[in-house]
Every structure is written in structure tokens, then in C-alpha cells.
């Protein structure tokens, strides 16, 4: 069997680390910014790597590529991040061939995400592929694989409910507001405080409610202005908080205070008010519940909503896995086809040369030789024989590499290999 035309990078690996075993600090050490990603690709190219893509988010950093040994890919990661090989050995993973293919499918389809059904990573995989392609590091295998993962993620999104419902508290709070406050785009929303959940809620409010007159108040005005600049909000002084609350239909409290900042004394209301307390500890005093028309929803209530959502999402895992299995099978069929196609072509050529020799012999020997008929019958027999071999190689139980070697040995043929 001729190995000269085979790529020396014969094994496909997935190496990396994720939230499953690595804490936030370790993940931070191994994270790759845009510049580092570009350097990894350049280094991979100079070291002769055939094809490679990489992703880096706050939850994971992973490299998918061909190598003689996975250490080549681990070294690429450690050379361009603050992580060490020793640390990688403690928390990293290495998947090979079929396991590596399965891993990229699960990641891209939201089954491996910290929040089940979170599809943000598929955008990263897509852009990583285009970046690899621009460095000439995306071969036909990688292109087909990435497209298959994208196809699977689309089908799972459309055919299952694995992404239904709110899973982040900030998004759950916006959904709660939108479900309970009619005509929200015209209502007055007041955001008090600039805590992380408050900022995320604010971003979601702007995005989903189309409300363009949200008012932001914070003890420190410059912090409020920074957030406001990002989301185009109206900033008011902390002193006017008691005057702004009566104007509001919705009050979102997201301060970092250790004691309640909103109590019944500050609420001089003349209309109903929905209050979302997104602070930990609580920043809305229990006594506000005595005021008629006031509804208070706390972080804990919203967390329960997200817990129920995640439980519901788990029911759709088997359906998502079936879709992945189906598309992975299509990918394997394509991959095996690429492996054995050159052998089938070489076999056909060999049988045709035997046929040509035999027809030449019979032509000289037989006086009434019907060349056209003999050619037709021979071609049909050759097609049937090669179909038998192709069907054997397509069978999922076939050891494709061994069968190819055996066919080439028996028929004394050398197929021109297709690069992976």
C-alpha cells in the first residue's frame, strides 16, 4: 500500500478545557484573544499543520485539528496563552477521531454548554472556521465537518425545544416584565443601580422592549453614565430617586447595597408599580408589600423560573442526540467515501485493463467476434463487481482501512490518495 500521498497528519484531535473541570481562573489563563488566535493559526501553519480551528469563550478554549500527536496542539495552546502544560494535564481533555467529531457536534449543538441549549458557541465555531480558511488551514474534512455541525444545530433549534424559555435571570426578568406589563415600549422603566444582573437586564430591556426612554439612577453618577452611554439611557441624579419612582411603571433594583434601599417610606405612589429586586442581598424591604398596587418579584423567584426552564430543556436531549447521530452518520458516510473512492477508481481501471487485454485476445482469435456486444457485457459485469466492493466499503460494520489495504493487495493496485 502506498503511503507517500497520505497526509502525515492522519489523526483528528479535539484538545482543550472547559467549565466542567477547569475553574474560572484556570480558564482565564488558557483563554485566547483575537490576536492570540491569529498567532496560533500562523504558528500552526509554520509547523506544517494541515487543518485547524479554535474557539475560546469564558467557558471553554478548544482546538480541533490534525496532528501526529495531540501534544502538538496542546503546545500551540500553551505557547500562546498563560496556561502551562502541567495545568493542562490536570484539567484538559484530549479526544481522538470519532470521539473528537462527536465532541464538536455536542459543543456546537448546545449539549455541552454550561447552560443547556445555549447556541452562542456555534457562531464562534463558524467564525473560527472562516479565520482558519483565510490562513489556508481549512481542508475539505474541516469544511464538511463544520457545515455538518451548523446543519445539526439549526435542525435542533428548529425541531426541538432545547432552547425554549429563559435561562438567565436577566432574561427571565425581561420576560416577566413583558408578560405582565402591557404596552411596555410606552411605559416608564426606572433602573436603580448598575450591578451586573441589572446591566444585563438593561441590555435585554433595550433589545426586546423597544423602550427608548429608560431612566437610570446610581449612587455614583459616572458609573451610571458609562452604562447609559452603552445603552442610550437617560441618567438622573441619585437625589431625585424619590421623585422618579412615582413616575415609573416598572422599577428594577440592582444595587450592591448590604441593606434595603427601597422601603415603604420612599414609595409615595399614585399608580400600580412592578418592582424587580435583582440584588443580593435583597434591596427592597418586605414592608413595601403592604402598599396597594405594588408587586415585588425577587431574584429567587426568577431563579426558580430558570431552574424549571432547564429541567424542561433536559427532556429534549434525546431528540437532539438523534439529530446529531443522523448527521454524524451522513458525515461518516461522506468521509469513508473519500477514503475508498480512489481505491474503487483504481479497481475499476484495473478491471478495465484486464477486459481490454481479454477483448484484444478474443478479437484475434474469433472470426465472428461481436466487439460492441462484448464491450457492453464486460462493462456491465465490471460495474456490478465494483458496486459490490463499494457497498462493502460503505457498510458501517466494515473496517474501511483494512479492506482498502486488502483490495489493493489482491488486485495489485495503488490508489492516489485524497488528502484529508
Amino acid at each position: 500500500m502506498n503511503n507517500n500521498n497520505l497526509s502525515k497528519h492522519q489523526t483528528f484531535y479535539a484538545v482543550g478545557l472547559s467549565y466542567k473541570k477547569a475553574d474560572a481562573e484556570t480558564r482565564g489563563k488558557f483563554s485566547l484573544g483575537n490576536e492570540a488566535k491569529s498567532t496560533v493559526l500562523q504558528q500552526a501553519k509554520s509547523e506544517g499543520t494541515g487543518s485547524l480551528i479554535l474557539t475560546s469563550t469564558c467557558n471553554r478554549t478548544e482546538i480541533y485539528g490534525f496532528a501526529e500527536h495531540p501534544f502538538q496542539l496542546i503546545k500551540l495552546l500553551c505557547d500562546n496563552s498563560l496556561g502551562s502544560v502541567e495545568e493542562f494535564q490536570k484539567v484538559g481533555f484530549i479526544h481522538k477521531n470519532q470521539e473528537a467529531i462527536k465532541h464538536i457536534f455536542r459543543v456546537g449543538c448546545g449539549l455541552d454548554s454550561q447552560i443547556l441549549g445555549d447556541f452562542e458557541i456555534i457562531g464562534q465555531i463558524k467564525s473560527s472556521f472562516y479565520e482558519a480558511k483565510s490562513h489556508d488551514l481549512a481542508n475539505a474534512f474541516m469544511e464538511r465537518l463544520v457545515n455538518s455541525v451548523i446543519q445539526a444545530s439549526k435542525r435542533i433549534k428548529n425541531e426541538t425545544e432545547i432552547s425554549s424559555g429563559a435561562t438567565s435571570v436577566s432574561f427571565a426578568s425581561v420576560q416577566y416584565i413583558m408578560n405582565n406589563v402591557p404596552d411596555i415600549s410606552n411605559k416608564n422603566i426606572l433602573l436603580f443601580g448598575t450591578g451586573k444582573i441589572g446591566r444585563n437586564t438593561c441590555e435585554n430591556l433595550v433589545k426586546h422592549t423597544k423602550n427608548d426612554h429608560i431612566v437610570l439612577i446610581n449612587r455614583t453618577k459616572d458609573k451610571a453614565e458609562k452604562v447609559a452611554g452603552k445603552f442610550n439611557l437617560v441618567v438622573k441624579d441619585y437625589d431625585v430617586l424619590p421623585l422618579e419612582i412615582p413616575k415609573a411603571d416598572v422599577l428594577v433594583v440592582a444595587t450592591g447595597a448590604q441593606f434595603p434601599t427601597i422601603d415603604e417610606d420612599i414609595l409615595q405612589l399614585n399608580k400600580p408599580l412592578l418592582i424587580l429586586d435583582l440584588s443580593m442581598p435583597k434591596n427592597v424591604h418586605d414592608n413595601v408589600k403592604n402598599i396597594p398596587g405594588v408587586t415585588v418579584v425577587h431574584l429567587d423567584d426568577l431563579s426558580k423560573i430558570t431552574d424549571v426552564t432547564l429541567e424542561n430543556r433536559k427532556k429534549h436531549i434525546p431528540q437532539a442526540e438523534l439529530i446529531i447521530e443522523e448527521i454524524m452518520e451522513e458525515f461518516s458516510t461522506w468521509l469513508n467515501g473519500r477514503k475508498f473512492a480512489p481505491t474503487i477508481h483504481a479497481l475499476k481501471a484495473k478491471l478495465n485493463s484486464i477486459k481490454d487485454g481479454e477483448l484484444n485476445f478474443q478479437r484475434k482469435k474469433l472470426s465472428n467476434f461481436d466487439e460492441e456486444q462484448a464491450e457492453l457485457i464486460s462493462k456491465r459485469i465490471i460495474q456490478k463487481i465494483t458496486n459490490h466492493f463499494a457497498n462493502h466499503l460503505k457498510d458501517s460494520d466494515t473496517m474501511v482501512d483494512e479492506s482498502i489495504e486488502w483490495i489493493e493487495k489482491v488486485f495489485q493496485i495503488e490508489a492516489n490518495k485524497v488528502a484529508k
Side-chain angles (χ1 to χ4, degrees):
M1 183 178 171
N2 178 20
N3 284 313
N4 297 338
N5 295 319
L6 278 171
S7 161
K8 64 175 180 171
H9 302 293
Q10 285 178 7
T11 308
F12 178 64
Y13 290 103
V15 306
L17 64 154
S18 75
Y19 68 93
K20 288 184 173 178
K21 273 181 82 176
D23 59 26
E25 192 186 338
T26 309
R27 296 199 303 272
K29 282 185 190 175
F30 283 93
S31 72
L32 301 166
N34 289 338
E35 208 174 303
K37 281 182 189 173
S38 194
T39 314
V40 169
L41 293 172
Q42 284 159 13
Q43 189 179 326
K45 185 107 200 238
S46 68
E47 289 173 4
T49 299
S51 190
L52 175 142
I53 62 168
L54 54 138
T55 59
S56 190
T57 69
C58 56
N59 285 329
R60 67 180 69 247
T61 296
E62 301 184 353
I63 295 180
Y64 307 96
F66 287 91
E68 288 175 275
H69 192 281
F71 181 73
Q72 292 164 283
L73 302 178
I74 295 163
K75 185 177 177 292
L76 278 173
L77 174 56
C78 296
D79 282 355
N80 295 285
S81 70
L82 300 172
S84 68
V85 174
E86 290 74 29
E87 281 174 303
F88 183 90
Q89 284 168 333
K90 284 178 196 160
V91 297
F93 63 79
I94 298 166
H95 298 308
K96 183 178 175 181
N97 290 337
Q98 201 60 17
E99 280 305 309
I101 291 168
K102 191 176 183 178
H103 181 71
I104 193 173
F105 267 96
R106 288 185 69 83
V107 169
C109 293
L111 294 188
D112 200 74
S113 302
Q114 192 159 23
I115 295 170
L116 177 66
D118 178 359
F119 279 95
E120 271 186 48
I121 190 78
I122 194 68
Q124 268 246 14
I125 290 171
K126 220 186 268 188
S127 58
S128 301
F129 171 73
Y130 289 124
E131 198 177 347
K133 204 169 183 180
S134 72
H135 284 79
D136 202 21
L137 277 170
N139 60 14
F141 171 99
M142 198 68 88
E143 184 148 13
R144 182 78 179 218
L145 177 61
V146 169
N147 282 335
S148 298
V149 173
I150 292 166
Q151 185 193 348
S153 78
K154 274 184 188 161
R155 275 193 56 190
I156 289 168
K157 259 185 219 170
N158 295 335
E159 295 173 30
T160 78
E161 289 178 38
I162 208 159
S163 293
S164 61
T167 53
S168 71
V169 170
S170 58
F171 191 59
S173 59
V174 173
Q175 278 206 332
Y176 186 92
I177 292 168
M178 290 175 78
N179 291 338
N180 290 280
V181 182
D183 193 24
I184 188 64
S185 58
N186 295 315
K187 293 288 165 60
N188 295 328
I189 301 172
L190 172 61
L191 178 66
F192 174 42
T194 54
K196 190 184 175 190
I197 293 175
R199 290 199 306 275
N200 290 345
T201 301
C202 188
E203 185 171 3
N204 278 318
L205 279 169
V206 171
K207 201 189 291 181
H208 297 286
T209 65
K210 307 286 182 273
N211 189 309
D212 60 358
H213 56 282
I214 298 170
V215 173
L216 174 59
I217 293 178
N218 193 54
R219 281 178 191 274
T220 324
K221 199 174 181 184
D222 62 341
K223 266 192 189 173
E225 278 164 349
K226 263 185 196 167
V227 175
K230 194 177 174 189
F231 303 125
N232 197 20
L233 312 176
V234 181
V235 175
K236 301 246 172 138
D237 287 319
Y238 176 62
D239 301 350
V240 300
L241 182 65
L243 303 174
E244 286 298 317
I245 291 174
K247 297 179 194 170
D249 299 290
V250 178
L251 168 62
V252 179
V253 183
T255 73
Q258 290 305 301
F259 301 100
T261 49
I262 303 291
D263 58 22
E264 63 181 351
D265 297 338
I266 201 174
L267 299 180
Q268 305 301 318
L269 306 177
N270 48 23
K271 62 177 178 174
L273 176 65
L274 168 63
I275 304 176
L276 268 69
D277 186 358
L278 306 183
S279 311
M280 190 64 79
K282 288 183 179 182
N283 264 229
V284 177
H285 200 289
D286 284 341
N287 62 22
V288 305
K289 291 174 183 172
N290 306 329
I291 304 169
V294 172
T295 308
V296 180
V297 177
H298 187 249
L299 196 63
D300 290 344
D301 307 312
L302 295 163
S303 296
K304 280 173 199 150
I305 294 172
T306 64
D307 290 344
V308 170
T309 296
L310 285 171
E311 280 309 307
N312 286 336
R313 285 186 175 193
K314 283 179 188 170
K315 295 173 192 167
H316 304 285
I317 292 174
Q319 199 185 346
E321 283 176 336
L322 280 176
I323 292 169
I324 288 176
E325 228 170 87
E326 190 186 318
I327 293 174
M328 267 181 72
E329 211 166 289
E330 286 170 15
F331 178 74
S332 292
T333 303
W334 171 83
L335 189 58
N336 281 337
R338 275 177 67 79
K339 265 188 189 176
F340 66 68
T343 303
I344 293 295
H345 288 313
L347 173 63
K348 208 169 189 179
K350 178 77 174 189
L351 294 175
N352 273 317
S353 74
I354 293 169
K355 173 210 55 158
D356 291 342
E358 187 58 30
L359 293 191
N360 277 337
F361 175 73
Q362 297 298 343
R363 193 181 293 117
K364 290 170 189 164
K365 200 176 177 187
L366 301 173
S367 54
N368 59 344
F369 181 62
D370 188 332
E371 194 159 338
E372 202 176 319
Q373 205 172 37
E375 183 76 37
L376 183 71
I377 292 165
S378 305
K379 270 189 174 169
R380 282 178 66 86
I381 290 168
I382 288 170
Q383 190 58 49
K384 284 185 175 178
I385 292 168
T386 51
N387 281 351
H388 271 283
F389 280 102
N391 289 336
H392 164 73
L393 291 166
K394 278 178 191 170
D395 193 304
S396 57
D397 294 329
T398 298
M399 305 283 281
V400 176
D401 293 333
E402 283 179 22
S403 292
I404 286 172
E405 197 168 345
W406 179 82
I407 293 165
E408 293 183 355
K409 210 172 190 176
V410 170
F411 288 95
Q412 297 173 333
I413 53 178
E414 285 183 358
N416 293 318
K417 297 289 177 280
V418 192
K420 284 178 181 167

